[in-house]
Amino acid sequence: MLNLPKKILVAIDGSPLSDKAAEEAVRMAAGNPSQFKSTIYAMLVLPNAPRTTFTDFVPAPPITEAKEWEERRQRIFYVIEKNARELDIPLTTKVVYGDPADELIAFADREEIDVIIIGSTGKGFLKRNLLGSVSNKVVKNAKCSVYVVRG
């Protein structure tokens, strides 16, 4: 018997590649014919909030507190929310701060995720080693399966 994932974590950042990963997550969840539906967790990881220094009199608020945040959030999560709603797939969206790979791995461990779906730009060897790669770090360090979507 085919054992399909029950808990799917997909990395979202609003890019066309993350939209493609979102579509793959919904497709995977929709392919689960068992009575227990798969659940998708869509996670947006924002960079750590800037630290204030002694020269800052009024620190900038986090982006999630800006007036236009709700509109941005809707654009970023639009594809996954629309597709999950159409197929009646349970979806939870999360916005966290930190290192994307570390946050995805920690959440996957904590929530006992079955598979992480993440996009990869397919950078060359030199760029990947100089700049690092979120997908590469997740593949190497995640305890669950990782499905990498190429652009």
Side-chain angles (χ1 to χ4, degrees):
M1 183 170 126
L2 182 62
N3 189 12
L4 293 168
K6 303 292 187 268
K7 291 183 175 183
I8 301 167
L9 173 60
V10 60
I12 301 290
D13 66 6
S15 69
L17 192 55
S18 83
D19 288 346
K20 191 173 176 181
E23 289 169 353
E24 286 295 318
V26 171
R27 185 189 58 76
M28 188 179 286
N32 187 354
S34 76
Q35 66 187 32
F36 303 106
K37 287 189 173 188
S38 293
T39 300
I40 298 174
Y41 298 88
M43 181 181 282
L44 168 64
V45 184
L46 298 171
N48 285 329
R51 293 189 177 14
T52 56
T53 64
F54 70 93
T55 59
D56 292 332
F57 293 107
V58 181
I63 190 171
T64 53
E65 293 177 17
K67 285 185 256 179
E68 59 277 342
W69 168 248
E70 187 54 32
E71 183 183 320
R72 276 187 186 166
R73 193 207 71 74
Q74 287 175 354
R75 274 196 319 263
I76 292 168
F77 288 106
Y78 174 78
V79 170
I80 188 106
E81 287 176 338
K82 176 183 173 287
N83 292 345
R85 186 175 45 250
E86 286 174 358
L87 295 172
D88 196 32
I89 295 169
L91 172 69
T92 300
T93 60
K94 297 195 70 59
V95 179
V96 298
Y97 286 93
D99 175 75
D102 292 343
E103 293 298 327
L104 289 165
I105 293 165
F107 183 83
D109 289 347
R110 192 170 52 252
E111 296 296 323
E112 298 178 352
I113 297 295
D114 296 305
V115 64
I116 299 171
I117 301 178
I118 189 167
S120 174
T121 58
K123 292 183 224 173
F125 175 79
L126 188 59
K127 258 189 172 173
R128 182 174 56 248
N129 286 325
L130 290 174
L131 303 175
S133 166
V134 174
S135 58
N136 192 39
K137 188 173 179 182
V138 170
V139 167
K140 285 183 177 180
N141 297 300
K143 295 176 184 165
C144 63
S145 297
V146 179
Y147 179 175
V148 179
V149 177
R150 294 282 183 174

